[in-house]
Amino acid sequence: MIFQKDVPVPVGDGLVLRANVFRPEGEGRFPVVMAHGLYGKDVHFADGFAPQWERLAALHPDLFTTGTSGRFLRWETVDPEVWVPDGFVVVQVDSRGSGKSPGYLDPRSPREIQDYHDAIEWAGKQPWSNGKVGLIGISYYAFTQWAVAALQPPHLAAIVPWEGFLDYYRDAYRHGGIFSDGFTSAWWPRQVLVNQHGNGETRYRDRDTGLPNTGPALSPAMLESNRTDYVGEFLRHPLFDEWYRERAPDPSRITVPVLSAGNWGGPGLHLRGNIDGFLGAASEQKWLSVHDGTHFESFYLPEYVALQKRFFDRFLKGEANGFDDEPRVKLSIRSPHGSVRRGETEFPLARTRWTALHLDAASRLMRPEPPAKEGAVSYEARGEGVDFSTPPMESDTEITGFVSARLWIASSTTDMDIFAVLRAFGPDGSEVIFDGAHERTPVSRGWLRASHRRLDPMRSRPYRPVHAHDRIETLEPGRSYAVDIEIWPTSLMLPKGYRLVLTLMGHDFEYPGLPGRMRHDHPQDRGRPEFSGTCTILTGGTQASTLLLPIIPD
């Protein structure tokens, strides 16, 4: 293949970004697959993300030894040596303010998304391009696809957002109104600032040149003045205001073909947006695939690469390869013993039997029948919370789709953070723990700050609450309130004899010895006294607390 390094890509305000271009040898025009982001087009996967590289190599030792040297592999983007031989041009662009591209570093900002639009149009007009550009990539490289596709660049022909959020507020940074700090505060210095354009202290080196991948060094003062205060912005914007609205793509403006891939083990970043993007896109040709395992693993597995290529062969090359006949929805149905893939025609599944389980404070059980008496159970907000369990399943039971809880609560303070965790346990009492996108994970999770309990009536559904997050409504201490909690979608075949458990607590759920990444513990957001005190769950009678499950019949 032909490899062109640091190719200039002009954008609308006169700035020039830098890209690496990989294209087939010989004459011809080829479709383009592109990624535009800030992890460094010249940072090798193994250099930037060594633990993930080592794990991937251990899980699949032959993954990068057949048909590729792995020399050009970059974090969360396609391997050019795997794609170019099949007739694609691969373009990887350093976004504004990162790597070799100068400018003000402001991740996922409207200016960055406009740059992406301009880069797509540049690629679509090159002499080696057939005029059709497809986008593909994980996480950062997925969210930006949703955003730029909503701008409708003329040369954009298809997108493959792989595990990437859509709603800047609800999907990633303000779960239930609670600031998701654990990932954000670590991500900014470790994965972004280290790759800021002009960072002479970066640990990254371009393997081709041995030089820093960030271009000529700038002074610390200039670096600081040339970037946004990323974490500070989230703290200054606790509600869904104009700052979030200009960063929230409108999926109804997306009209190109979409292959959206989410991860059941990605509560907190890599699931909700893929489902909402699929449901909300105006595209006539759209597919949803939800898998399990780590997010960097699935993207590179041969079966998924083949799926990605078939999609682009159809919509970038115009091949009649039968992709239109693929099931519009394909799900990995998890179980304690592995998972199986299954095709469906819609999501949520039309045959879903929505089943409400009533919480009982006295027995700590969840059953279809309401408890005989009203009850209440309290826990310390900083403590380990309270569990409600189903009896052992009488038969194999599939739970696939949206999950929610309606709780009656009271607090000894003026607010209350609720962390709802859906868990599964075997007959021997051992917990079912899954390999998630980022960390080992339970069945699913949900969050809500009680002062954000107001729903968005236009977006909420009977089986799925969506909160407005447009005002703060504090609690009167000791008074009871009804709140609805969105627990992220899930899929689980629960065998006979297993139990489902709902854990309610006032802080992040973490397994012993396994600190989570998707934490919510910033002192400016969670350190105030209203998030201490005593929390109470009321059950039965006029204050019935319930868990709504999507049961899939045989």
Side-chain angles (χ1 to χ4, degrees):
M1 65 183 179
I2 297 171
F3 170 35
Q4 295 175 283
K5 193 178 185 67
D6 295 335
V7 177
V9 179
V11 293
D13 66 350
L15 193 78
V16 176
L17 307 179
R18 294 292 170 175
N20 288 346
V21 177
F22 308 84
R23 54 192 180 88
E25 286 187 317
E27 298 297 321
R29 294 177 176 268
F30 306 92
V32 178
V33 291
M34 175 182 280
H36 169 276
L38 45 61
Y39 293 136
K41 66 179 180 59
D42 297 311
V43 179
H44 194 278
F45 190 146
D47 297 337
F49 297 85
Q52 292 86 346
W53 172 267
E54 291 167 3
R55 182 176 180 188
L56 191 58
L59 289 171
H60 306 283
D62 60 342
L63 197 58
F64 303 121
T65 59
T66 304
T68 176
S69 69
R71 172 189 169 191
F72 300 108
L73 195 64
R74 305 296 184 252
W75 175 247
E76 298 185 334
T77 60
V78 301
D79 183 348
E81 290 181 307
V82 171
W83 283 76
V84 172
D86 285 335
F88 295 96
V89 175
V90 174
V91 177
Q92 297 174 342
V93 187
D94 278 338
S95 59
R96 180 180 297 243
S98 70
K100 301 281 182 63
S101 294
Y104 188 79
L105 180 61
D106 190 2
R108 307 185 186 94
S109 64
R111 178 65 258 179
E112 184 182 279
I113 302 306
Q114 183 61 47
D115 288 346
Y116 203 173
H117 171 285
D118 297 346
I120 291 167
E121 291 306 288
W122 170 85
K125 298 173 183 176
Q126 296 306 300
W128 33 257
S129 170
N130 73 349
K132 293 183 180 294
V133 179
L135 310 180
I136 185 170
I138 312 173
S139 191
Y140 196 99
Y141 298 101
F143 168 81
T144 53
Q145 291 181 56
W146 296 120
V148 75
L151 297 183
Q152 300 180 350
H155 285 89
L156 181 62
I159 63 172
V160 182
W162 203 272
E163 298 193 29
F165 65 82
L166 173 70
D167 187 320
Y168 213 71
Y169 190 103
R170 298 168 182 84
D171 291 353
Y173 293 109
R174 283 278 178 180
H175 299 134
I178 309 168
F179 179 36
S180 178
D181 169 58
F183 174 78
T184 310
S185 293
W187 176 79
W188 180 239
R190 294 178 187 174
Q191 298 182 26
V192 182
L193 296 188
V194 71
N195 196 50
Q196 183 181 0
H197 178 75
N199 182 358
E201 302 299 318
T202 183
R203 64 181 180 273
Y204 298 147
R205 292 293 182 273
D206 184 330
R207 288 190 176 188
D208 295 324
T209 65
L211 299 174
N213 72 295
T214 50
L218 301 175
S219 70
M222 185 169 288
L223 288 172
E224 185 173 1
S225 67
N226 216 24
R227 64 184 182 236
T228 187
D229 175 16
Y230 194 71
V231 177
E233 289 285 11
F234 292 110
L235 292 170
R236 286 188 288 273
H237 297 276
L239 296 175
F240 189 84
D241 57 14
E242 188 59 35
W243 188 83
Y244 281 103
R245 277 190 286 273
E246 69 177 8
R247 287 163 172 77
D250 178 1
S252 70
R253 289 186 49 80
I254 298 174
T255 58
V256 297
V258 176
L259 172 58
S260 176
N263 189 324
W264 292 127
L269 204 61
H270 287 144
L271 173 62
R272 188 182 188 276
N274 284 102
I275 291 174
D276 281 354
F278 166 77
L279 294 175
S283 312
E284 293 184 3
Q285 296 158 307
K286 58 181 181 178
W287 287 262
L288 173 67
S289 175
V290 188
H291 51 264
D292 53 356
T294 65
H295 79 285
F296 54 86
E297 177 184 0
S298 64
F299 184 73
Y300 296 105
L301 293 179
E303 64 181 289
Y304 289 112
V305 173
L307 179 71
Q308 298 158 9
K309 287 182 177 179
R310 285 189 63 227
F311 176 75
F312 279 147
D313 283 343
R314 168 67 181 88
F315 295 110
L316 301 187
K317 297 179 181 178
E319 294 182 2
N321 60 6
F323 198 93
D324 297 81
D325 299 324
E326 283 283 327
R328 289 303 175 106
V329 175
K330 192 169 285 188
L331 308 174
S332 290
I333 309 302
R334 300 184 298 177
S335 80
H337 313 297
S339 64
V340 295
R341 297 284 285 170
R342 189 176 74 206
E344 298 285 353
T345 58
E346 75 286 308
F347 193 91
L349 307 187
R351 64 185 184 279
T352 301
R353 187 172 70 238
W354 298 103
T355 303
L357 300 181
H358 290 260
L359 280 58
D360 184 357
S363 66
R364 307 287 178 86
L365 291 175
M366 298 187 294
R367 299 178 184 271
E369 306 81 18
K373 298 181 180 179
E374 295 182 358
V377 58
S378 299
Y379 57 91
E380 294 302 311
R382 303 293 182 179
E384 295 309 304
V386 59
D387 295 338
F388 293 90
S389 174
T390 66
M393 296 291 163
E394 296 180 357
S395 61
D396 292 355
T397 303
E398 182 182 336
I399 301 164
T400 296
F402 295 109
V403 182
S404 63
R406 162 155 277 215
L407 303 178
W408 279 87
I409 64 161
S411 172
S412 65
T413 70
T414 58
D415 213 336
M416 177 175 168
D417 280 351
I418 305 165
F419 293 75
V421 189
L422 206 59
R423 307 162 69 189
F425 290 83
D428 62 355
S430 62
E431 184 167 359
V432 179
I433 304 175
F434 297 98
D435 281 335
H438 311 282
E439 59 198 2
R440 306 202 73 188
T441 182
V443 177
S444 192
R445 305 176 194 245
W447 305 263
L448 181 66
R449 178 158 288 172
S451 60
H452 287 237
R453 62 191 177 276
R454 182 177 177 271
L455 296 178
D456 181 336
M458 299 298 294
R459 299 177 64 186
S460 294
R461 298 291 180 267
Y463 51 81
R464 189 191 188 196
V466 178
H467 296 86
H469 298 295
D470 60 357
R471 66 194 67 183
I472 303 292
E473 297 177 319
T474 57
L475 307 179
E476 179 184 327
R479 179 183 170 185
S480 60
Y481 298 84
V483 299
D484 296 281
I485 301 176
E486 177 187 6
I487 298 174
W488 281 32
T490 192
S491 181
L492 173 67
M493 177 63 76
L494 206 58
K496 178 181 178 180
Y498 280 68
R499 297 179 297 117
L500 193 67
V501 171
L502 176 65
T503 297
L504 301 173
M505 56 202 312
H507 63 82
D508 285 301
F509 172 81
E510 295 178 306
Y511 291 111
L514 295 173
R517 295 180 64 201
M518 298 296 153
R519 298 191 313 278
H520 306 72
D521 53 10
H522 196 286
Q524 286 182 242
D525 184 66
R526 291 268 297 146
R528 303 192 299 272
E530 57 263 42
F531 302 116
S532 297
T534 301
C535 304
T536 300
I537 307 296
L538 302 104
T539 65
T542 59
Q543 296 181 323
S545 293
T546 57
L547 176 70
L548 186 64
L549 294 176
I551 304 298
I552 309 302
D554 294 337

